[in-house]
Amino acid sequence: MSERTNELLRVVERDEWLKPVSDVLARRHNRYLALLAEAEKASGSLADYANGYRWFGWQRDDDLQGWWFREWLPEAHDVYIFGDFNNWQRTQLRLDKGCDGVWSIFLPDAMYADRLTDGSLYKIHVHGDNGWRDRIPAYARRVVQDDDTKNFTAQFLTEKPFVWSSFDASEALKEGVFIYEAHVGMAQEREGVGTYVEFADNILPRVKDDGYNAVQLMAVAEHPYYGSFGYHVSSLFAPSSRFGTPEELKYLINKAHTMGIAVIMDLVHAHYVKNENEGIYRLDGSDHLYSKEGDAGYHRQWDSRIFDYGKQQVRHFLLSNIKYWMDEYRFDGFRFDGVTSMIWHHHGYGPMSSREDFFGSGADEDAIAYLTLANRLIHDLNPSALTIAEDVSGMPALCSPVEDGGAGFDYRLGMAIPDFWIRLLKDVPDEQWSIGEIWSVMTERLPDVRTVAYAESHDQALVGDKTIAFRLMDKEMYFSMDRSVHNIVVDRGMALHKMIRLMTAAAGGNAYLNFMGNEFGHPEWIDFPREGNGWSYAHARRLWSLADNGFLKYSQLGAFDKAMTALLRRNGVLHEFYPYLLQMDEERKTLVFERGGLLFVFNWHTGQSLPDYAVRVREAGKYRLILSTDDETYGGQGRDNMSVEHFSYPCTTDEGLCHFMQVYSSARTAQVYARVE
């Protein structure tokens, strides 16, 4: 593929601000093109290049009747494979080293068919500069933990046929992208670790019934410490055995597909666990196999190792990992964790605001090139797949199409939104909330950057922080959530919980995300079992019975969330890029906007209801109230009359002829109106 020289990239043509750095963007794009050409020359296509999982690890050879095992360990001095199939004799089966640093061995059926069987345990015994070590191979597809010793060991698996149902993510998501972020292990109500099957059978029906059409699975890849939430990955190709078998993960994904739910994987390519016993660090004895050498390969803030995206073998490993999850498990996309850390040499702990910052030496162009290749691969394999960048820095062109000169992400996470709500709730009295600031934070996104909006995710629910519901109602959630109990703290909390979620979903982005349980105001925090809590699972689960109990107000919050997602999906609200501001009344704390043909009226005032309040509409006609946060069904006070018809009337303003209608806007409520004729 040819390099771009004098021709401006389309991302630059569309944005005058980028023209002074057009040469940097061209250099980045040319770097991607060169790496793509290199991959295509080596393998014919990027998709074929990403077939490392079909070469490394255990590979069946029907012609020779046996199994090959291969591992890339360029600086190892000696490598052996051992396991229960050879009575754990460490130095019996030596691998041969090829010129490319790949070690291999062939085990014929004639000798091992009865010993190397499905479920056999194995490791590799590696002699490197760090001595002799028993290690788990990088391409291991299953890793299990011994209940007594707690040691992790790789497990040999034979391929089992799996019948997949047909599924088209674009069809499932046609009404807009509504993501249910979930953790399989903590998704059950019982104390303990939930399974893939339990999630499929018990939780997916909830996801479907609540109106979400995508589930984002956390902690899929194997990780030695449960409490890391899956972000300190040890085996990138092994689904976590805590939750079940690979076939059971396939069962989960396939069941989601039959229900019309896309499945997105929370993919961790920003770093990996530094543990040598379980992970890939120093696998060949060096500290720079998958990382840069020395401190450059260490992430101090996360106490983990960083991938060297400039190394061809590392890119091949990571791209193969992406294709593996798409090919073997049919994931419909990825939420890339820690993108900010990846694309900056300072990992997000340095300046990230000016043009000089974005296009200076602080940016990691190797990482940007890798992410561009990753997005190209994902969309080549499945044009309907979604990619989401967890980036707080706002790197220009990150979410622009690859062919335009961008990195190709479909969405970025709107991480400023939950931070804003938490700051507002913590530091600003209700009476001082700025309507203009709320609007600004919700809508401050570039016109070509699609954003996943969320009021809170798993980050806000972890121990040390609080969910919005718990921050609003705190201890009153233990005593005053019975529907027969009147409590002003709970009344305020319920009202703002619904308003914040509706404001975020209706105005904050082009997709919407919710962390499991937050839709009904799950109380308390997430705290995984650890020494400090007596290894308890009491806070590493979800109390679904609260939402199912019709006598509790949790059920009312859940009912509102369900009504909200249904309304937004039915009207295709998220397809319209921006909401249209109609009215901002700072004195009365009222905000009016239109999106997807619906009129949204938010009265954030703590006590002032507004009878016969004139609100502007975009189209003349008759309007009807179709959703109110004050509806008694959703735990409100029932002040709004859903049957009243509202007729618009013309009025001449400074902007010319406009149309208004009169409504009763009750304090601390949000209303949604639809034009009926």
Side-chain angles (χ1 to χ4, degrees):
M1 303 182 72
S2 61
E3 292 191 354
R4 302 185 65 125
T5 52
N6 296 326
E7 182 184 355
L8 283 178
L9 294 167
R10 282 191 286 271
V11 291
V12 178
E13 291 176 344
R14 290 196 299 265
D15 191 344
E16 286 285 333
W17 190 80
L18 293 176
K19 286 190 175 178
V21 290
S22 61
D23 57 333
V24 179
L25 282 161
R27 183 182 69 231
R28 291 179 182 178
H29 189 64
N30 288 336
R31 167 75 169 148
Y32 149 74
L33 291 175
L35 294 176
L36 177 62
E38 180 183 299
E40 291 175 336
K41 182 178 180 181
S43 305
S45 70
L46 185 60
D48 288 332
Y49 176 77
N51 278 337
Y53 66 98
R54 295 179 177 175
W55 177 253
F56 291 102
W58 291 105
Q59 303 295 334
R60 180 68 186 170
D61 191 328
D62 288 329
D63 292 334
L64 295 179
Q65 291 295 297
W67 290 90
W68 284 98
F69 178 83
R70 303 181 184 93
E71 186 78 10
W72 177 61
L73 302 164
E75 297 193 25
H77 307 312
D78 269 307
V79 182
Y80 296 83
I81 191 164
F82 68 108
D84 56 12
F85 62 91
N86 79 332
N87 296 316
W88 298 102
Q89 296 299 308
R90 283 184 172 84
T91 57
Q92 183 185 71
L93 299 171
R94 186 180 188 276
L95 279 65
D96 295 319
K97 184 178 183 180
C99 61
D100 52 1
V102 176
W103 296 72
S104 64
I105 190 172
F106 179 73
L107 301 183
D109 289 346
M111 295 179 63
Y112 292 97
D114 295 332
R115 291 188 278 171
L116 184 63
T117 58
D118 195 52
S120 290
L121 300 176
Y122 72 96
K123 285 189 175 184
I124 53 177
H125 191 51
V126 183
H127 181 204
D129 288 343
N130 59 341
W132 290 93
R133 297 285 189 272
D134 296 342
R135 303 300 301 269
I136 295 172
Y139 280 86
R141 297 195 185 190
R142 180 162 169 81
V143 177
V144 294
Q145 186 177 27
D146 186 275
D147 290 335
D148 296 324
T149 67
K150 305 304 179 185
N151 288 332
F152 285 84
T153 308
Q155 190 173 52
F156 174 82
L157 296 179
T158 55
E159 187 173 348
K160 299 176 180 66
F162 190 91
V163 179
W164 291 95
S165 302
S166 61
F167 179 72
D168 181 356
S170 61
E171 178 65 21
L173 304 174
K174 65 182 180 182
E175 294 177 334
V177 179
F178 293 82
I179 302 170
Y180 200 83
E181 184 186 32
H183 184 286
V184 168
M186 58 170 288
Q188 304 306 311
E189 182 145 356
R190 63 176 175 82
E191 292 191 31
V193 179
T195 68
Y196 297 124
V197 172
E198 286 177 315
F199 188 91
D201 293 345
N202 301 334
I203 309 306
L204 284 179
R206 291 181 179 274
V207 175
K208 177 71 174 179
D209 188 57
D210 286 344
Y212 293 87
N213 52 19
V215 61
Q216 181 175 296
L217 292 183
M218 306 175 63
V220 173
E222 192 60 83
H223 46 289
Y225 179 46
Y226 189 47
S228 75
F229 234 136
Y231 290 120
H232 276 203
V233 174
S234 52
S235 296
L236 278 77
F237 288 83
S240 180
S241 60
R242 286 183 181 86
F243 315 135
T245 67
E247 286 70 31
E248 289 168 340
L249 174 58
K250 292 177 182 179
Y251 169 77
L252 185 165
I253 295 170
N254 192 60
K255 184 162 186 175
H257 287 171
T258 63
M259 299 171 72
I261 299 172
V263 185
I264 300 167
M265 178 179 174
D266 201 340
L267 188 72
V268 186
H269 280 186
H271 62 135
Y272 60 95
V273 73
K274 70 175 186 179
N275 304 30
E276 292 187 36
N277 287 336
E278 299 90 2
I280 61 176
Y281 178 48
R282 297 178 68 93
L283 197 55
D284 69 345
S286 74
D287 71 343
H288 51 270
L289 179 64
Y290 289 98
S291 300
K292 291 181 179 178
E293 194 169 3
D295 285 346
Y298 178 61
H299 198 303
R300 293 187 178 278
Q301 289 80 9
W302 294 348
D303 192 26
S304 56
R305 302 299 302 179
I306 309 161
F307 287 106
D308 181 359
Y309 307 104
K311 186 181 287 188
Q312 181 271 331
Q313 295 90 340
V314 174
R315 291 193 302 273
H316 179 251
F317 176 74
L318 295 175
L319 291 170
S320 297
N321 186 239
I322 287 172
K323 187 178 179 185
Y324 167 76
W325 291 114
M326 296 185 73
D327 190 22
E328 295 292 316
Y329 291 93
R330 305 290 179 92
F331 277 99
D332 303 296
F334 302 93
R335 178 261 202 192
F336 279 71
D337 175 67
V339 168
T340 302
S341 176
M342 295 173 73
I343 62 178
W344 297 90
H345 290 298
H346 53 62
H347 309 302
Y349 295 91
M352 301 179 297
S353 57
S354 70
R355 188 162 48 204
E356 291 71 24
D357 294 334
F358 289 126
F359 300 100
S361 59
D364 188 336
E365 296 192 1
D366 287 334
I368 294 170
Y370 162 67
L371 290 171
T372 309
L373 286 169
N375 277 293
R376 170 65 184 270
L377 172 67
I378 292 164
H379 293 112
D380 279 356
L381 293 172
N382 181 2
S384 298
L386 296 183
T387 59
I388 304 167
E390 189 208 25
D391 173 50
V392 71
S393 71
M395 174 66 75
L398 191 68
C399 294
S400 297
V402 172
E403 58 271 22
D404 291 358
F409 280 101
D410 296 307
Y411 294 88
R412 67 177 292 274
L413 284 177
M415 300 174 71
I417 296 175
D419 291 345
F420 167 73
W421 288 125
I422 296 302
R423 180 183 64 79
L424 211 60
L425 292 171
K426 280 178 60 178
D427 301 333
V428 184
D430 295 7
E431 296 82 1
Q432 296 177 21
W433 285 15
S434 166
I435 305 306
E437 186 180 19
I438 292 174
W439 179 256
S440 175
V441 172
M442 293 301 115
T443 59
E444 197 171 60
R445 54 186 183 271
L446 293 172
D448 60 345
V449 178
R450 290 189 291 180
T451 300
V452 177
Y454 61 104
E456 51 188 342
S457 69
H458 70 273
D459 287 328
Q460 286 73 40
L462 288 169
V463 65
D465 206 338
K466 293 181 180 180
T467 63
I468 287 177
F470 205 54
R471 194 173 292 281
L472 285 166
M473 295 176 277
D474 206 76
K475 66 181 186 297
E476 298 300 329
M477 299 190 79
Y478 299 119
F479 312 112
S480 305
M481 292 300 282
D482 189 293
R483 292 176 65 171
S484 64
V485 175
H486 175 70
N487 182 290
I488 59 172
V489 173
V490 171
D491 288 348
R492 168 185 176 267
M494 296 258 305
L496 289 178
H497 191 273
K498 290 175 286 185
M499 293 181 72
I500 287 170
R501 296 176 72 78
L502 180 60
M503 186 74 205
T504 302
N510 317 100
Y512 178 68
L513 178 143
N514 164 66
F515 179 68
M516 62 177 186
N518 286 351
E519 70 277 8
F520 65 84
H522 197 287
E524 300 183 331
W525 53 87
I526 298 167
D527 189 11
F528 285 96
R530 54 187 172 83
E531 187 176 1
N533 65 13
W535 302 104
S536 170
Y537 286 89
H539 294 287
R541 58 191 180 123
R542 298 284 88 180
L543 303 176
W544 304 109
S545 58
L546 296 177
D548 296 339
N549 189 333
F551 293 103
L552 298 179
K553 296 176 182 178
Y554 296 104
S555 64
Q556 296 174 317
L557 291 177
F560 174 77
D561 194 84
K562 182 177 178 179
M564 177 186 78
T565 57
L567 180 69
L568 299 180
R569 285 183 60 173
R570 187 168 61 248
N571 290 275
V573 169
L574 300 186
H575 290 312
E576 193 167 313
F577 201 89
Y578 283 114
Y580 186 90
L581 180 63
L582 290 165
Q583 213 160 307
M584 188 182 295
D585 188 340
E586 196 70 55
E587 180 183 353
R588 296 175 180 83
K589 301 297 181 187
T590 300
L591 188 63
V592 182
F593 62 90
E594 189 267 351
R595 194 176 185 193
L598 300 178
L599 182 74
F600 296 84
V601 180
F602 283 79
N603 183 340
W604 296 94
H605 203 284
T606 59
Q608 185 179 4
S609 295
L610 304 170
D612 298 327
Y613 185 63
V615 299
R616 183 178 167 187
V617 298
R618 292 186 75 180
E619 291 186 79
K622 182 171 70 174
Y623 288 78
R624 188 183 295 272
L625 180 63
I626 57 173
L627 180 67
S628 169
T629 61
D630 200 46
D631 194 311
E632 290 180 319
T633 304
Y634 312 131
Q637 299 179 39
R639 291 168 290 179
D640 297 328
N641 189 336
M642 306 293 289
S643 64
V644 173
E645 295 178 339
H646 301 265
F647 295 87
S648 69
Y649 57 89
C651 184
T652 302
T653 69
D654 293 341
E655 300 178 30
L657 182 65
C658 296
H659 296 273
F660 290 81
M661 69 176 186
Q662 290 185 328
V663 302
Y664 177 71
S665 175
S666 46
R668 208 177 255 153
T669 66
Q671 303 167 328
V672 185
Y673 294 86
R675 183 173 175 271
V676 292
E677 61 179 69

